[in-house]
């Protein structure tokens, strides 16, 4: 099933120092609503069955989002919205926004939460938003962004104490977090396969990975093209037929790193996205992989 992360706008009302979507330069790009509605229909024609509205803060464009969700629903598309929950200061206010979104066809609310977010957003907002979702039967989960340090333990405890559904999302060391000190992961030797859902930016650039986006600055490895110059279906086909992308999905990043000569003791120190950047944002390594016979790399599968 084809899915995509849809970046309607990059505008956000807070500036978290860990944000992967931004660096030090403010970025407030936005699509035109009519254009975005047409894109939704074109995505449906290209057999896209799931859209996640992300990038900046979607609730800053609430009426537009409600319209886009309605358009998605008319095409039978699954919709999810990612938010920092700045709007859920009270239960009443939260109810007044969640209910119409559910009525428009929204299927899931994904709430961003971390010690960095909560410098700007009261953590009770997450509780209010979750309660509103429960009232109207809207699925939700809390995306708990963490570097797995002791500093995050009180934030995780808060989620557990309030019986909230959450999933720990590893911090990505990109955007504003690129300068953060990295801690060795040292976990089991995993395949680290990645589904790589594409991302569409407000500039209509499309990337093969919603997490990598445009921060692979040395190689632009995941860039697929711009839909002003190509069809959505063609760009999806580029993603689906690229040999190296498919190796990431099936062999996994660990296998590729091992094939390239990375020592096992180094591989287990990296999270999936960091290891991916180490391999595919290196022009030399990428060139070597592109010149390798596909059967040679497949032979490395364990």
């Amino acid at each position: 099933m084809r899915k995509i992360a849809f970046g309607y706008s990059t505008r956000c009302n807070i500036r978290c120092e860990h944000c992967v979507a931004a660096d030090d330069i403010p970025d407030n790009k936005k699509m035109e609503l009519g254009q975005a509605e047409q894109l939704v229909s074109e995505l449906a024609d290209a057999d896209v069955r799931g859209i996640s509205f992300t990038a900046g803060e979607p609730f800053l464009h609430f009426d537009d989002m409600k319209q886009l969700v309605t358009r998605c629903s008319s095409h039978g598309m699954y919709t999810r919205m990612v938010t920092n929950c700045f709007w859920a200061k009270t239960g009443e206010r939260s109810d007044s926004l969640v209910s119409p979104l559910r009525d428009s066809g929204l299927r899931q609310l994904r709430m961003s939460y971390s010690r960095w977010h909560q410098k700007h957003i009261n953590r009770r907002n997450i509780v209010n938003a979750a309660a509103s979702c429960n009232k109207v039967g809207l699925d939700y989960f809390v995306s708990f962004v963490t570097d797995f340090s002791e500093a995050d333990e009180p934030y995780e405890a808060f989620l557990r104490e309030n019986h909230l559904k959450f999933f720990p999302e590893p911090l990505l060391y990109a955007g504003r977090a690129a300068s953060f000190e990295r801690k060795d992961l040292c976990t089991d030797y995993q395949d680290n396969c990645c589904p790589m859902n594409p991302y569409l930016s407000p500039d209509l650039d499309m990337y093969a990975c919603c997490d990598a986006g445009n921060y692979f600055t040395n190689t632009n490895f995941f860039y697929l093209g711009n839909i002003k110059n190509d069809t959505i279906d063609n760009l999806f086909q580029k993603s689906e037929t690229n040999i190296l992308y498919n190796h990431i999905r099936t062999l996994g990043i660990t296998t590729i790193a091992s094939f390239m000569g990375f020592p096992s003791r180094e591989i287990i120190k990296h999270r999936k996205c960091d290891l991916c950047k180490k391999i595919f944002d290196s022009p030399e390594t990428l060139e070597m992989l592109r010149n390798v016979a596909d059967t040679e790399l497949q032979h490395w599968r364990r």
Side-chain angles (χ1 to χ4, degrees):
M1 182 178 76
R2 285 178 171 176
K3 296 182 285 186
I4 196 165
F6 194 101
Y8 180 64
S9 168
T10 58
R11 182 185 170 209
C12 190
N13 58 328
I14 59 176
R15 287 180 61 80
C16 300
E17 61 263 45
H18 78 299
C19 184
V20 69
D23 51 26
D24 291 332
I25 303 171
D27 187 357
N28 292 309
K29 297 173 183 175
K30 175 184 169 297
M31 294 183 192
E32 294 297 324
L33 176 59
Q35 178 187 50
E37 288 183 302
Q38 179 60 36
L39 284 172
V40 166
S41 295
E42 291 176 14
L43 288 165
D45 290 341
D47 204 31
V48 174
R49 308 315 305 158
I51 292 185
S52 179
F53 292 103
T54 181
E57 172 51 53
F59 274 72
L60 294 174
H61 307 283
F62 181 79
D63 290 337
D64 291 3
M65 286 293 105
K66 192 166 65 168
Q67 234 170 291
L68 290 172
V69 169
T70 300
R71 175 64 69 97
C72 290
S73 184
S74 72
H75 289 292
M77 303 168 81
Y78 180 96
T79 50
R80 179 173 75 179
M81 197 172 296
V82 183
T83 177
N84 62 34
C85 290
F86 78 93
W87 42 271
K89 293 181 180 179
T90 67
E92 294 77 11
R93 174 62 173 161
S94 179
D95 289 348
S96 72
L97 296 175
V98 169
S99 183
L101 281 176
R102 177 65 182 88
D103 292 343
S104 297
L106 187 70
R107 301 288 296 279
Q108 186 186 75
L109 197 64
R110 175 174 171 172
M111 308 170 195
S112 298
Y113 171 87
S114 70
R115 71 178 189 265
W116 300 285
H117 284 100
Q118 273 43 74
K119 290 179 181 180
H120 309 276
I121 307 291
N122 191 312
R123 60 186 181 177
R124 292 301 308 178
N125 289 25
I126 300 287
V127 178
N128 293 335
S132 296
C133 289
N134 288 332
K135 282 182 184 178
V136 299
L138 176 63
D139 185 33
Y140 83 87
F141 79 92
V142 178
S143 176
F144 173 37
V145 182
T146 175
D147 62 359
F148 302 99
S149 65
E150 290 184 10
D152 281 335
E153 289 183 3
Y155 294 89
E156 182 171 353
F158 177 83
L159 296 174
R160 295 184 185 279
E161 289 162 5
N162 285 278
H163 309 290
L164 298 176
K165 294 188 297 183
F166 72 94
F167 184 81
E169 299 277 358
L171 173 71
L172 294 180
Y173 292 94
R176 296 193 191 116
S179 62
F180 282 17
E181 181 182 356
R182 289 162 170 76
K183 299 178 177 65
D184 290 345
L185 183 59
C186 294
T187 188
D188 293 339
Y189 197 84
Q190 305 174 45
D191 287 335
N192 279 324
C193 296
C194 181
M196 287 174 46
N197 293 321
Y199 167 68
L200 181 64
S201 78
D203 290 330
L204 308 186
D205 287 321
M206 191 163 155
Y207 299 86
C209 176
C210 60
D211 283 328
N214 60 356
Y215 75 82
F216 276 45
T217 53
N218 295 320
T219 62
N220 220 7
F221 173 61
F222 287 107
Y223 183 68
L224 296 172
N226 190 290
I227 61 176
K228 295 176 184 176
N229 308 315
D230 210 339
T231 68
I232 290 171
D233 188 64
N234 282 345
L235 295 180
F236 265 100
Q237 287 186 42
K238 282 185 182 180
S239 172
E240 292 159 355
T241 59
N242 183 291
I243 291 174
L244 291 180
Y245 295 167
N246 283 326
H247 284 326
I248 292 172
R249 295 183 182 105
T250 57
L251 293 177
I253 298 166
T254 294
T255 300
I256 298 170
S258 181
F259 174 81
M260 295 304 297
F262 286 60
S264 301
R265 61 182 173 78
E266 287 297 324
I267 290 174
I268 64 168
K269 292 180 181 179
H270 290 84
R271 295 182 177 89
K272 177 173 62 178
C273 294
D274 287 334
L275 189 58
C276 184
K277 192 173 193 299
K278 202 172 185 67
I279 298 169
F280 294 107
D281 201 31
S282 163
E284 296 78 18
T285 303
L286 183 55
E287 183 65 21
M288 287 172 63
L289 276 170
R290 284 175 170 159
N291 290 330
V292 166
D294 188 45
T295 52
E296 190 177 349
L297 185 50
Q298 286 282 4
H299 181 69
W300 207 257
R301 182 195 294 270
R302 64 189 176 104

